[in-house]
Coordinates of all heavy atoms in Angstrom, one line a residue:
P1 N 0.8 -1.2 0.0 CA -0.1 0.0 0.0 C 0.9 1.2 0.1 O 1.9 1.2 0.5 CB -0.8 -0.1 1.2 CG -0.5 -1.4 1.9 CD 0.6 -2.0 1.1
D2 N 0.4 2.3 -0.6 CA 1.1 3.5 -0.7 C 1.0 4.2 0.6 O 0.1 4.0 1.5 CB 0.6 4.4 -1.9 CG -0.8 4.8 -1.7 OD1 -1.5 4.5 -0.7 OD2 -1.3 5.5 -2.7
A3 N 1.9 5.3 0.8 CA 1.9 6.0 2.1 C 0.6 6.7 2.4 O 0.1 6.8 3.6 CB 3.0 7.0 2.1
A4 N 0.0 7.2 1.4 CA -1.4 8.0 1.6 C -2.3 7.0 2.1 O -3.2 7.4 2.9 CB -1.8 8.7 0.2
A5 N -2.4 5.8 1.6 CA -3.4 4.8 2.0 C -3.3 4.5 3.5 O -4.3 4.3 4.2 CB -3.4 3.6 1.1
K6 N -2.2 4.6 4.1 CA -1.9 4.3 5.5 C -2.5 5.3 6.3 O -2.8 5.1 7.4 CB -0.4 4.1 5.7 CG 0.1 2.8 5.1 CD 1.6 2.7 5.4 CE 2.2 1.5 4.7 NZ 3.6 1.3 4.9
T7 N -2.5 6.7 5.9 CA -3.0 7.7 6.7 C -4.4 8.1 6.4 O -4.9 9.0 7.1 CB -2.1 9.0 6.4 OG1 -2.2 9.3 5.0 CG2 -0.6 8.6 6.7
R8 N -5.1 7.5 5.6 CA -6.5 7.9 5.2 C -7.3 7.4 6.4 O -7.2 6.4 7.0 CB -7.0 7.2 4.0 CG -6.3 7.7 2.8 CD -7.1 7.2 1.5 NE -6.3 7.6 0.4 CZ -5.8 6.8 -0.5 NH1 -5.9 5.5 -0.4 NH2 -5.1 7.3 -1.5
R9 N -8.4 8.3 6.7 CA -9.3 7.9 7.7 C -10.7 8.0 7.2 O -10.9 8.5 6.1 CB -9.2 9.1 8.9 CG -7.9 9.3 9.5 CD -7.9 10.4 10.6 NE -8.1 11.6 9.8 CZ -8.9 12.7 10.3 NH1 -9.4 12.5 11.5 NH2 -9.1 13.7 9.7
S10 N -11.6 7.5 7.9 CA -13.0 7.5 7.6 C -13.5 8.9 7.6 O -12.9 9.7 8.4 CB -13.9 6.8 8.6 OG -13.6 5.4 8.5
P11 N -14.3 9.3 6.6 CA -14.7 10.7 6.6 C -15.4 11.1 7.9 O -16.1 10.4 8.5 CB -15.6 10.7 5.5 CG -16.1 9.4 5.1 CD -15.0 8.5 5.7
D12 N -15.3 12.4 8.3 CA -16.2 13.0 9.2 C -17.6 13.3 8.6 O -17.8 14.1 7.8 CB -15.5 14.3 9.7 CG -16.4 15.2 10.6 OD1 -17.6 14.9 10.7 OD2 -15.7 16.1 11.2
F13 N -18.6 12.5 9.0 CA -19.9 12.5 8.4 C -20.7 13.9 8.6 O -21.4 14.1 7.7 CB -20.6 11.2 8.7 CG -20.1 10.0 8.0 CD1 -19.3 9.1 8.5 CD2 -20.5 9.9 6.6 CE1 -18.8 8.1 7.9 CE2 -20.0 8.8 5.9 CZ -19.2 7.9 6.5
D14 N -20.4 14.5 9.7 CA -21.0 15.9 9.8 C -20.5 16.8 8.8 O -21.3 17.5 8.2 CB -20.8 16.4 11.2 CG -21.4 15.6 12.3 OD1 -22.6 15.0 12.1 OD2 -21.0 15.6 13.5
T15 N -19.2 16.8 8.5 CA -18.6 17.6 7.5 C -19.1 17.2 6.1 O -19.4 18.0 5.3 CB -17.1 17.6 7.6 OG1 -16.7 18.0 8.8 CG2 -16.4 18.4 6.5
L16 N -19.1 15.9 5.9 CA -19.7 15.4 4.7 C -21.1 15.8 4.3 O -21.4 16.3 3.2 CB -19.4 13.9 4.5 CG -19.7 13.2 3.3 CD1 -18.6 13.7 2.2 CD2 -19.5 11.7 3.4
D17 N -22.0 15.7 5.4 CA -23.3 16.1 5.3 C -23.4 17.6 4.8 O -24.2 17.9 3.9 CB -24.1 15.9 6.6 CG -24.5 14.4 6.8 OD1 -24.5 13.6 5.8 OD2 -24.8 14.1 7.9
A18 N -22.7 18.5 5.5 CA -22.7 19.8 5.2 C -22.2 20.1 3.8 O -22.9 20.9 3.1 CB -21.9 20.6 6.2
Y19 N -21.2 19.4 3.4 CA -20.7 19.6 2.0 C -21.7 19.2 1.0 O -22.0 20.0 0.0 CB -19.5 18.7 1.8 CG -19.0 18.7 0.4 CD1 -18.3 19.8 -0.1 CD2 -19.2 17.6 -0.4 CE1 -17.8 19.7 -1.5 CE2 -18.8 17.5 -1.7 CZ -18.1 18.6 -2.3 OH -17.6 18.6 -3.6
F20 N -22.4 18.0 1.2 CA -23.5 17.6 0.2 C -24.7 18.6 0.2 O -25.2 18.8 -0.9 CB -23.9 16.2 0.6 CG -22.9 15.0 0.2 CD1 -22.9 13.9 1.0 CD2 -22.2 15.2 -0.9 CE1 -22.0 12.9 0.7 CE2 -21.2 14.1 -1.2 CZ -21.2 13.0 -0.5
R21 N -25.0 19.0 1.4 CA -26.1 20.1 1.4 C -25.8 21.2 0.5 O -26.6 21.8 -0.2 CB -26.5 20.4 2.9 CG -27.4 19.4 3.6 CD -27.9 20.0 4.9 NE -26.9 20.5 5.8 CZ -26.2 19.6 6.7 NH1 -26.6 18.4 6.7 NH2 -25.4 20.1 7.4
R22 N -24.5 21.8 0.7 CA -24.2 23.0 0.1 C -24.1 22.7 -1.4 O -24.6 23.5 -2.3 CB -22.7 23.4 0.5 CG -22.3 24.7 -0.1 CD -21.0 25.1 0.5 NE -19.9 24.3 0.0 CZ -19.1 23.6 0.9 NH1 -19.3 23.6 2.2 NH2 -18.2 22.8 0.4
E23 N -23.5 21.7 -1.8 CA -23.4 21.2 -3.3 C -24.7 21.0 -3.9 O -25.0 21.3 -5.1 CB -22.4 20.1 -3.5 CG -21.0 20.4 -3.1 CD -20.4 21.6 -3.8 OE1 -20.6 21.7 -5.2 OE2 -19.9 22.5 -3.2
A24 N -25.7 20.4 -3.2 CA -26.9 20.0 -3.7 C -27.8 21.3 -4.1 O -28.6 21.2 -4.9 CB -27.7 19.2 -2.7
D25 N -27.4 22.4 -3.4 CA -28.1 23.7 -3.7 C -27.6 24.4 -5.0 O -28.3 25.3 -5.4 CB -28.0 24.7 -2.6 CG -28.9 24.2 -1.3 OD1 -29.8 23.4 -1.6 OD2 -28.5 24.7 -0.2
N26 N -26.5 23.8 -5.5 CA -25.9 24.5 -6.9 C -26.8 24.3 -7.9 O -27.5 23.2 -8.1 CB -24.5 24.1 -7.0 CG -23.5 24.7 -5.9 OD1 -23.7 25.6 -5.5 ND2 -22.5 23.9 -5.7
D27 N -26.8 25.2 -8.9 CA -27.6 25.0 -10.1 C -26.7 25.4 -11.3 O -26.3 26.5 -11.4 CB -28.9 25.9 -10.2 CG -29.7 25.7 -11.3 OD1 -29.6 24.5 -11.9 OD2 -30.5 26.5 -11.6
P28 N -26.2 24.5 -12.1 CA -26.6 23.0 -12.1 C -25.9 22.4 -10.9 O -24.8 22.7 -10.4 CB -26.1 22.5 -13.4 CG -25.0 23.4 -13.7 CD -25.3 24.7 -13.1
Q29 N -26.5 21.2 -10.4 CA -25.9 20.4 -9.4 C -24.8 19.6 -10.0 O -24.8 19.1 -10.9 CB -27.0 19.5 -8.8 CG -26.5 18.8 -7.6 CD -27.6 17.9 -7.0 OE1 -27.6 16.7 -7.4 NE2 -28.5 18.4 -6.2
P30 N -23.6 19.7 -9.2 CA -22.6 18.9 -9.6 C -22.7 17.4 -9.6 O -23.7 16.9 -8.8 CB -21.3 19.2 -8.6 CG -22.1 19.6 -7.5 CD -23.4 20.3 -7.9
E31 N -22.0 16.6 -10.4 CA -22.2 15.2 -10.3 C -21.2 14.6 -9.3 O -20.1 15.1 -9.1 CB -21.8 14.6 -11.6 CG -22.7 15.0 -12.8 CD -22.3 14.4 -14.1 OE1 -21.4 13.5 -14.2 OE2 -22.9 14.8 -15.1
L32 N -21.7 13.6 -8.5 CA -20.8 12.9 -7.6 C -20.3 11.6 -8.2 O -21.2 10.8 -8.5 CB -21.6 12.6 -6.3 CG -20.9 11.7 -5.2 CD1 -19.6 12.4 -4.7 CD2 -21.8 11.5 -4.0
H33 N -19.1 11.5 -8.4 CA -18.5 10.2 -9.0 C -17.8 9.4 -7.9 O -16.9 9.9 -7.2 CB -17.5 10.6 -10.1 CG -18.1 11.4 -11.2 ND1 -17.2 11.9 -12.2 CD2 -19.3 11.5 -11.7 CE1 -18.1 12.5 -13.1 NE2 -19.3 12.2 -12.8
I34 N -18.2 8.2 -7.8 CA -17.6 7.2 -6.9 C -16.8 6.3 -7.7 O -17.3 5.7 -8.6 CB -18.8 6.4 -6.2 CG1 -19.8 7.3 -5.5 CG2 -18.2 5.4 -5.2 CD1 -19.3 8.0 -4.3
R35 N -15.5 6.2 -7.3 CA -14.6 5.2 -7.9 C -14.4 4.0 -7.0 O -14.0 4.1 -5.9 CB -13.2 6.0 -8.1 CG -12.3 5.0 -8.9 CD -11.0 5.8 -9.2 NE -11.2 7.0 -10.1 CZ -11.6 7.0 -11.4 NH1 -11.6 5.9 -12.1 NH2 -11.8 8.2 -12.1
P36 N -14.8 2.9 -7.5 CA -14.7 1.6 -6.6 C -13.1 1.3 -6.3 O -12.3 1.6 -7.1 CB -15.2 0.5 -7.5 CG -15.5 1.1 -8.8 CD -15.2 2.5 -8.8
S37 N -12.9 0.8 -5.1 CA -11.6 0.3 -4.6 C -11.9 -1.0 -3.9 O -12.8 -1.2 -3.1 CB -11.1 1.3 -3.7 OG -9.9 0.8 -3.1
K38 N -11.0 -2.0 -4.2 CA -11.1 -3.2 -3.5 C -10.9 -3.1 -2.0 O -11.3 -3.8 -1.2 CB -10.0 -4.2 -4.1 CG -10.2 -4.6 -5.5 CD -9.0 -5.5 -6.0 CE -9.2 -5.8 -7.5 NZ -8.1 -6.6 -8.0
R39 N -10.2 -2.0 -1.6 CA -9.8 -1.8 -0.2 C -11.0 -0.9 0.5 O -10.8 -1.0 1.8 CB -8.5 -1.1 0.0 CG -7.3 -1.9 -0.5 CD -6.1 -1.2 -0.2 NE -5.6 -0.9 -1.5 CZ -4.8 0.2 -1.7 NH1 -4.5 1.1 -0.8 NH2 -4.4 0.5 -2.9
A40 N -11.9 -0.6 -0.1 CA -12.9 0.2 0.5 C -13.8 -0.6 1.4 O -14.2 -1.8 1.0 CB -13.8 1.0 -0.5
K41 N -14.2 -0.1 2.5 CA -15.2 -0.9 3.4 C -16.5 -0.6 2.9 O -16.9 0.6 2.6 CB -14.9 -0.3 4.8 CG -13.5 -0.9 5.4 CD -13.4 -0.5 6.8 CE -12.1 -1.0 7.3 NZ -12.0 -0.6 8.8
Y42 N -17.3 -1.6 2.7 CA -18.6 -1.5 2.3 C -19.5 -0.6 3.1 O -20.2 0.3 2.7 CB -19.3 -2.9 2.2 CG -20.7 -2.8 1.7 CD1 -21.1 -2.8 0.5 CD2 -21.8 -2.7 2.8 CE1 -22.4 -2.6 0.0 CE2 -23.1 -2.6 2.3 CZ -23.5 -2.5 0.9 OH -24.7 -2.5 0.6
D43 N -19.4 -0.7 4.4 CA -20.2 0.2 5.3 C -19.9 1.7 5.1 O -20.8 2.5 5.2 CB -20.1 -0.2 6.7 CG -18.8 -0.1 7.4 OD1 -17.8 -0.5 6.6 OD2 -18.6 0.3 8.6
V44 N -18.7 2.0 4.9 CA -18.3 3.4 4.7 C -18.9 3.9 3.4 O -19.4 5.0 3.4 CB -16.8 3.6 4.7 CG1 -16.4 5.0 4.4 CG2 -16.3 3.2 6.2
V45 N -18.7 3.2 2.4 CA -19.3 3.5 1.1 C -20.8 3.7 1.1 O -21.3 4.6 0.5 CB -18.9 2.5 -0.1 CG1 -19.5 2.8 -1.4 CG2 -17.5 2.4 -0.2
A46 N -21.5 2.8 1.8 CA -22.9 2.8 1.9 C -23.3 4.0 2.6 O -24.3 4.8 2.3 CB -23.5 1.6 2.7
R47 N -22.6 4.4 3.6 CA -22.9 5.6 4.5 C -22.6 6.9 3.6 O -23.4 7.9 3.8 CB -22.0 5.7 5.7 CG -22.4 4.8 6.8 CD -21.6 4.9 8.1 NE -21.9 6.1 8.7 CZ -21.2 6.6 9.7 NH1 -20.2 5.9 10.2 NH2 -21.4 7.7 10.3
V48 N -21.6 6.9 2.8 CA -21.4 8.0 2.0 C -22.6 8.2 1.0 O -23.1 9.3 0.8 CB -20.1 8.0 1.2 CG1 -19.9 9.0 0.1 CG2 -18.9 8.1 2.2
L49 N -22.9 7.1 0.3 CA -24.0 7.2 -0.6 C -25.3 7.6 0.1 O -26.0 8.4 -0.5 CB -24.2 5.9 -1.2 CG -23.1 5.4 -2.3 CD1 -23.3 3.9 -2.7 CD2 -23.1 6.3 -3.4
A50 N -25.6 7.1 1.2 CA -26.8 7.5 2.0 C -26.8 9.0 2.4 O -27.8 9.6 2.3 CB -27.0 6.6 3.2
S51 N -25.6 9.5 2.8 CA -25.5 10.9 3.1 C -25.7 11.8 1.9 O -26.5 12.8 2.0 CB -24.1 11.1 3.6 OG -23.8 12.5 3.8
A52 N -25.3 11.4 0.8 CA -25.4 12.1 -0.4 C -26.9 12.2 -0.9 O -27.4 13.3 -1.2 CB -24.6 11.5 -1.7
Q53 N -27.5 11.1 -0.8 CA -28.9 11.0 -1.2 C -29.8 11.8 -0.1 O -30.6 12.6 -0.6 CB -29.4 9.6 -1.3 CG -30.8 9.5 -1.8 CD -31.3 8.1 -2.0 OE1 -30.7 7.2 -1.3 NE2 -32.1 7.8 -2.9
R54 N -29.6 11.6 1.1 CA -30.3 12.2 2.1 C -30.1 13.8 2.1 O -31.1 14.5 2.4 CB -29.8 11.7 3.5 CG -30.5 12.3 4.7 CD -30.1 11.6 6.0 NE -28.6 11.9 6.3 CZ -27.7 11.0 6.2 NH1 -28.0 9.7 5.9 NH2 -26.5 11.2 6.4
N55 N -29.0 14.2 1.7 CA -28.8 15.7 1.6 C -29.0 16.3 0.3 O -28.6 17.4 0.0 CB -27.3 16.0 2.1 CG -27.2 15.8 3.6 OD1 -27.8 16.5 4.3 ND2 -26.6 14.7 4.0
G56 N -29.7 15.6 -0.6 CA -30.2 16.2 -1.9 C -29.4 16.0 -3.2 O -29.7 16.5 -4.2
M57 N -28.3 15.3 -3.0 CA -27.5 15.0 -4.3 C -28.3 14.1 -5.1 O -28.8 12.9 -4.7 CB -26.1 14.5 -3.9 CG -25.2 15.3 -3.0 SD -24.7 16.8 -4.0 CE -23.7 16.2 -5.3
R58 N -28.4 14.4 -6.3 CA -29.2 13.6 -7.3 C -28.4 13.0 -8.5 O -28.9 12.0 -9.1 CB -30.4 14.5 -7.9 CG -31.4 15.0 -6.9 CD -32.2 13.8 -6.3 NE -33.0 14.3 -5.1 CZ -32.8 13.9 -3.9 NH1 -31.9 13.0 -3.6 NH2 -33.6 14.4 -3.0
K59 N -27.2 13.5 -8.7 CA -26.4 13.0 -9.8 C -25.3 12.3 -9.1 O -24.1 12.7 -9.0 CB -25.9 14.2 -10.7 CG -27.0 15.0 -11.3 CD -26.5 16.2 -12.0 CE -27.6 17.0 -12.7 NZ -27.1 18.1 -13.4
I60 N -25.6 11.0 -8.9 CA -24.5 10.1 -8.3 C -24.2 8.9 -9.2 O -25.1 8.3 -9.7 CB -25.1 9.6 -6.9 CG1 -25.4 10.7 -6.0 CG2 -24.1 8.6 -6.3 CD1 -26.2 10.3 -4.8
G61 N -23.0 8.7 -9.5 CA -22.6 7.6 -10.4 C -21.3 7.0 -10.1 O -20.5 7.5 -9.3
F62 N -21.1 5.8 -10.6 CA -19.9 5.1 -10.4 C -19.0 5.1 -11.6 O -19.5 5.0 -12.7 CB -20.2 3.6 -10.1 CG -20.7 3.4 -8.6 CD1 -22.0 3.5 -8.4 CD2 -19.9 3.1 -7.5 CE1 -22.5 3.4 -7.1 CE2 -20.4 2.9 -6.3 CZ -21.8 3.1 -6.0
V63 N -17.8 5.4 -11.4 CA -16.8 5.5 -12.5 C -15.7 4.5 -12.3 O -15.4 4.2 -11.2 CB -16.2 6.9 -12.7 CG1 -17.3 7.9 -13.1 CG2 -15.5 7.4 -11.5
G64 N -15.1 3.9 -13.4 CA -14.1 3.0 -13.3 C -14.4 1.5 -13.0 O -13.7 0.7 -12.7
N65 N -15.7 1.2 -13.2 CA -16.3 -0.1 -12.9 C -15.6 -1.2 -13.9 O -15.6 -2.3 -13.6 CB -17.8 -0.2 -13.0 CG -18.5 0.6 -12.1 OD1 -18.0 0.9 -11.1 ND2 -19.6 1.1 -12.4
E66 N -15.2 -0.7 -15.0 CA -14.6 -1.7 -16.0 C -13.5 -2.5 -15.5 O -13.2 -3.5 -16.0 CB -14.3 -0.9 -17.3 CG -13.2 0.1 -17.2 CD -13.7 1.4 -16.7 OE1 -14.8 1.6 -16.6 OE2 -12.8 2.3 -16.5
Q67 N -12.7 -2.1 -14.5 CA -11.6 -2.8 -14.0 C -12.1 -4.0 -13.2 O -11.3 -4.9 -13.0 CB -10.8 -1.9 -12.9 CG -11.6 -1.6 -11.7 CD -10.8 -0.7 -10.7 OE1 -9.7 -1.0 -10.5 NE2 -11.5 0.3 -10.1
F68 N -13.4 -4.2 -13.0 CA -13.9 -5.4 -12.3 C -14.6 -6.3 -13.2 O -15.2 -7.3 -12.8 CB -14.8 -4.9 -11.2 CG -14.1 -4.1 -10.1 CD1 -14.2 -2.7 -9.9 CD2 -13.2 -4.7 -9.2 CE1 -13.6 -2.0 -9.1 CE2 -12.5 -4.0 -8.2 CZ -12.7 -2.7 -8.1
M69 N -14.7 -6.0 -14.5 CA -15.4 -6.8 -15.5 C -14.5 -7.9 -16.0 O -13.3 -7.9 -16.0 CB -15.9 -5.9 -16.6 CG -16.7 -4.8 -16.2 SD -18.4 -5.3 -16.4 CE -19.2 -3.9 -15.7

């Protein structure tokens, strides 16, 4: 693993909620791109997606899925 991967922490969900609320109010609304990783914990990804949806983000997509095909 690279050095950055060793120092990554789970996101602060209060900060993430505030970010999604702010971005959801933009017109046009930005797209949220999720890039899959084998090392990502499912529960963290699920919480991020739920936060985005709960806070009004409507343009959510996955990119880079072809690496798993």
Side-chain angles (χ1 to χ4, degrees):
D2 62 4
K6 292 179 184 177
T7 61
R8 288 188 189 122
R9 299 178 299 142
S10 294
D12 170 343
F13 284 97
D14 291 334
T15 301
L16 193 61
D17 283 343
Y19 172 77
F20 286 146
R21 278 192 302 274
R22 184 179 69 242
E23 294 303 313
D25 287 339
N26 287 333
D27 186 20
Q29 190 178 93
E31 295 179 11
L32 174 61
H33 295 167
I34 306 290
R35 184 173 303 279
S37 170
K38 292 178 186 177
R39 290 184 253 148
K41 293 184 178 182
Y42 176 83
D43 63 318
V44 173
V45 175
R47 286 183 67 191
V48 169
L49 289 170
S51 173
Q53 186 176 27
R54 181 178 59 252
N55 287 292
M57 296 296 293
R58 298 291 172 245
K59 299 177 181 179
I60 302 171
F62 287 86
V63 295
N65 296 335
E66 60 277 357
Q67 67 181 318
F68 299 104
M69 304 263 176

